[in-house]
Amino acid sequence: MAEMIRVLELHRNGEMEEKCWSRDQFLAAISENHLPFRDLRMLLRSSPALSKARHPAIMPRPSSQCFILEMENIKLLCFSEKCLIINPEDRATQNFIKGLKEQFKFTKSELSKTTEESTMKVLHQKTVQYQDFEQVILETALENVVQKFRRHLQIIKPALEMLLQQVEANPETNGLRRLLAVKKSLAEFEQNVELVSKVIRNLLSDDEDMTSLSLTNLGEKEDIELLLSSVSADLDEIETEIKIFIDMIEDTDQFISAHLDAVRNEIIKMSLFIEIGGLTMGMGAVVSGIFGMNLTNALETNPYAFSLVCLGLFITMLALFAGFATKYHQLKADTSSAQSFTLLKNFFSYVDDLEDNVFNKDIEKVEFKDTVEKITGLKISDKESEYLFKMVDVNRNRIVGTGRRPSFFCGPNEYSSPMVKLGGSRLSIFHGNYAVIPFGSKVSV
């Protein structure tokens, strides 16, 4: 049995007629418009599994005097006199059809029946009377898509806020899994909005396509451009709200990660003190075990032996525990790595000041440290100063700067110790066991 295609035909006067065609009947109905084969194949792809467009598109076809719109659940073929809506039984498509009925039901005879409550609605419908047929179809379809996106946000916002509060109050694994699921759902929703927004932006950037969307007044694109610009602004607003939701999730995720890291550190610290206590008590147990052996020694008859051993053991155990605790607090308070990172970051951030105060004159090590502290505003240790000094002292002459001619380091050979050639020429190269040439020419080897 041939697959049947359900189509709703909407005429320019607002009349609607639902039809059920076979593929051949559908192709015969639109054969006079000479649509390309790829467009026909896309329109016939109407199975329920593919009812939602994965790749939205608005394709003007000026040679066929129509345009094709496939966006979310809406799939239609619009001409200047009629519009063919495919799969009208779909629930989302029915909302679109309902909006079209609202647009076309207004007549001039109903002007006198309006009230103040319906003034804005009447003004909108009255404006529709002066719009081209294809513009009404396009505007209603895009408005339906935007409203669908807004409803999605309205549904997910309170659920997300409640989930974030629950996760922050009780950061358990189940809550984190739910949060991850919501984040992936938002990412997928953001991708759908971005695809629709990309279609609108591409149309706005192509004047020829916008002109081709006007089927009644050929060559006019002003109204189409205003419509697309308005929809693009709405989609940008929706994308911004989605990004705000994703940022909220990421902030909560970072808070939970920091909280779990702090809890983990406390557990590790507690485990460390338990191990230190166990080690200390173990030493006492060893000594007690030695004295508990059934062997005679000279201390059995000493009246003070028990007290002295216990006191010595207690002092030793206390000293051992105090030593571990002191080392732990020293490690905890050590911020030298962070300070070194800050120092290097700031050191290379003041290139201009370093150029004026360090590299353009000869500076020795002590003056170098004072200059760097003054420029960076940080106190540096002798070790850090030595590291920075060696890093910029490319000549290895213990002097930083370019005020004199370069000095070149000479490695050791079998006849002499390491030497530095001062006041050298342009370039001097020392290799292997060659002796130092005191006053070479431009290139000395």
Side-chain angles (χ1 to χ4, degrees), residues 104-249:
F104 286 100
K105 75 177 183 179
F106 183 79
T107 60
K108 292 183 179 180
S109 60
E110 294 174 340
L111 274 172
S112 58
K113 301 180 183 179
T114 60
T115 61
E116 292 184 3
E117 296 180 356
S118 59
T119 300
M120 295 302 298
K121 185 176 180 180
V122 169
L123 288 176
H124 175 68
Q125 292 176 333
K126 186 177 179 181
T127 305
V128 171
Q129 297 290 319
Y130 300 99
Q131 281 185 315
D132 295 335
F133 174 74
E134 67 276 3
Q135 290 183 17
V136 176
I137 299 295
L138 181 61
E139 181 178 1
T140 306
L142 294 178
E143 182 181 355
N144 182 269
V145 172
V146 172
Q147 290 298 325
K148 180 180 177 183
F149 289 155
R150 291 193 185 279
R151 287 196 302 271
H152 192 123
L153 285 178
Q154 291 173 357
I155 293 173
I156 201 172
K157 183 177 180 179
L160 176 60
E161 291 177 347
M162 183 181 67
L163 179 59
L164 291 176
Q165 292 176 0
Q166 291 177 351
V167 172
E168 290 176 359
N170 188 16
E172 294 182 349
T173 306
N174 291 333
L176 292 177
R177 281 200 292 262
R178 296 191 191 100
L179 199 61
L180 178 61
V182 174
K183 184 177 180 180
K184 288 186 177 295
S185 175
L186 272 176
E188 183 179 354
F189 176 52
E190 182 182 21
Q191 184 180 11
N192 293 337
V193 177
E194 286 178 351
L195 288 174
V196 176
S197 181
K198 183 179 179 180
V199 171
I200 302 300
R201 288 196 299 268
N202 290 339
L203 286 174
L204 283 171
S205 62
D206 195 326
D207 292 341
E208 184 178 354
D209 282 348
M210 284 192 292
T211 304
S212 300
L213 288 175
S214 182
L215 305 177
T216 304
N217 296 320
L218 300 179
E220 296 291 333
K221 72 178 184 68
E222 182 178 356
D223 292 339
I224 299 292
E225 185 175 7
L226 291 175
L227 169 61
L228 295 178
S229 299
S230 175
V231 173
S232 179
D234 292 337
L235 292 174
D236 289 341
E237 182 181 351
I238 294 174
E239 287 187 63
T240 302
E241 292 186 22
I242 296 174
K243 287 182 172 59
I244 291 174
F245 290 161
I246 294 178
D247 289 341
M248 290 169 58
I249 295 176

Side-chain angles (χ1 to χ4, degrees), residues 10-56:
L10 172 65
H11 296 278
R12 189 180 185 90
N13 57 7
E15 295 181 358
M16 295 184 180
E17 183 180 359
E18 189 168 345
K19 300 179 179 180
C20 186
W21 287 333
S22 65
R23 287 177 178 265
D24 294 337
Q25 290 173 334
F26 178 78
L27 294 176
I30 59 175
S31 60
E32 61 182 11
N33 300 102
H34 306 291
L35 281 172
F37 176 73
R38 61 180 181 274
D39 294 339
L40 295 175
R41 186 173 57 182
M42 185 192 71
L43 290 171
L44 293 174
R45 192 178 62 224
S46 58
S47 62
L50 298 174
S51 59
K52 183 176 180 180
R54 295 182 179 180
H55 301 283

Side-chain angles (χ1 to χ4, degrees), residues 58-92:
I58 300 177
M59 297 174 290
R61 294 294 181 257
S63 60
S64 302
Q65 297 182 350
C66 66
F67 68 81
I68 301 172
L69 185 145
E70 186 178 16
M71 195 169 289
E72 290 296 307
N73 295 82
I74 302 174
K75 183 186 295 185
L76 58 85
L77 178 62
C78 184
F79 302 93
S80 60
E81 298 295 332
K82 66 178 181 179
C83 176
L84 300 179
I85 304 172
I86 302 175
N87 292 334
E89 72 278 4
D90 184 82
R91 180 174 298 179

